[in-house]
Amino acid sequence: MSSPDKIPVAERLEQLADALAEHFGDEGFELRKGYGELTLVVPADRWVETATTLRDREDFDFEELIDLCGVDYATYGQSEWESQGATDTGFSRGVESESWGGPRGTRRGELDAQADPRRFAVVCHLLSLSHNRRLRLRVFCGAPTPMVDSLVGVWSSANWFEREAFDLFGILFNGHPDLRRILTDYGFIGHPFRKDFPLVGEVEMRYDPEKQRVIYEPVQTQPRVLVPRVVRDDNRYARPDAAESESSDA
């Protein structure tokens, strides 16, 4: 048998795709190909079962989980997040927007967190050293409270990654041995990577010399437009067509 390192990458990818299609062809599974990578979308109720199969079967042998993260698909694909389409009226979640589907000043999460079971997802990246190939897994976490089973029992490296996804996205991992915040402090309110979380935050903290302790207060910073409105007319922004026009006029 040829060494995995000597098999072309495209061939290894096709071999993996065929094996995945054979073992995970049931309803609810979805195999996607793109950018030279494979993504297997897994039903939430078969998340741990699928991970265990991918780890233990010799034709997969994914010994390592090298990364796991949360994803918030709220407003995914909307032009409001594309800087090329920004105007002087502002864009991004730093500005209150009627395009979120509700009255001005209403945050998106207050409108559709309960209605969209595919808003939050967990994505993990697996590595097979013996076969020299990689795989991305994705599972949607449901609504209104995003939750999925923990993979710590399959790969111990998932421990801190799942704590990070809980801290930043508010995704709960059922069966996790120690699901606590890992980046923000224990008094932090909300989950900073959610797209309905204000960029300025919810609270601010300071040391009170009279009380001799740190106290939390409502944040005083106001949301602001994140797109520069100043157009600088200098050589850094010179347009080739403008230079040609000037030379022809001369």
Side-chain angles (χ1 to χ4, degrees):
M1 182 177 177
S2 300
S3 169
D5 293 331
K6 297 181 179 179
I7 301 176
V9 174
E11 185 176 339
R12 291 202 302 268
L13 197 69
E14 286 303 319
Q15 291 176 351
L16 177 58
D18 292 342
L20 291 170
E22 179 181 352
H23 289 284
F24 303 107
D26 300 342
E27 183 178 357
F29 287 94
E30 182 181 355
L31 183 61
R32 298 185 176 183
K33 301 179 182 180
Y35 306 102
E37 298 176 326
L38 291 175
T39 299
L40 181 65
V41 182
V42 182
D45 59 348
R46 299 187 61 180
W47 181 236
V48 174
E49 172 196 340
T50 301
T52 304
T53 299
L54 291 170
R55 181 196 64 182
D56 294 345
R57 286 190 63 93
E58 291 185 3
D59 49 347
F60 296 124
D61 207 10
F62 286 101
E63 313 100 309
E64 292 190 24
L65 182 147
I66 58 177
D67 188 26
L68 181 148
C69 66
V71 182
D72 182 357
Y73 285 103
T75 71
Y76 177 73
Q78 294 185 13
S79 60
E80 189 174 16
W81 287 86
E82 297 176 3
S83 59
Q84 295 297 325
T87 68
D88 60 2
T89 59
F91 86 115
S92 91
R93 57 189 171 148
V95 179
E96 296 173 340
S97 172
E98 294 175 348
S99 67
W100 287 349
R104 198 169 188 82
T106 303
R107 297 208 303 272
R108 178 182 172 90
E110 298 171 344
L111 297 172
D112 67 0
Q114 296 184 5
D116 188 1
R118 294 173 69 88
R119 172 179 171 179
F120 292 101
V122 170
V123 175
C124 63
H125 295 261
L126 308 181
L127 171 65
S128 171
L129 294 171
S130 56
H131 296 296
N132 190 20
R133 56 194 184 190
R134 299 169 186 264
L135 175 66
R136 179 189 294 111
L137 295 182
R138 179 168 60 188
V139 61
F140 290 99
C141 304
T145 302
M147 179 182 294
V148 70
D149 290 335
S150 172
L151 294 182
V152 172
V154 183
W155 296 286
S156 59
S157 59
N159 193 324
W160 281 20
F161 289 131
E162 290 182 348
R163 285 181 59 185
E164 181 183 55
F166 160 69
D167 193 356
L168 300 180
F169 290 92
I171 297 172
L172 300 174
F173 292 87
N174 185 36
H176 190 285
D178 187 21
L179 196 61
R180 294 177 293 138
R181 291 189 182 274
I182 193 171
L183 295 177
T184 59
D185 102 355
Y186 299 124
F188 192 86
I189 298 174
H191 303 281
F193 278 14
R194 287 193 175 195
K195 290 182 179 177
D196 55 5
F197 187 84
L199 290 180
V200 295
E202 299 281 5
V203 297
E204 60 187 26
M205 55 184 289
R206 65 177 178 85
Y207 180 77
D208 190 315
E210 295 183 359
K211 297 181 179 180
Q212 297 186 348
R213 64 180 177 86
V214 172
I215 62 173
Y216 292 87
E217 299 174 325
V219 66
Q220 301 298 315
T221 306
Q222 295 299 315
R224 60 190 183 276
V225 176
L226 300 181
V227 179
R229 296 187 179 184
V230 178
V231 178
R232 296 178 175 86
D233 187 13
D234 59 30
N235 63 324
R236 291 176 298 168
Y237 303 93
R239 296 174 300 171
D241 56 342
E244 292 176 2
S245 175
E246 290 178 3
S247 61
S248 61
D249 292 343

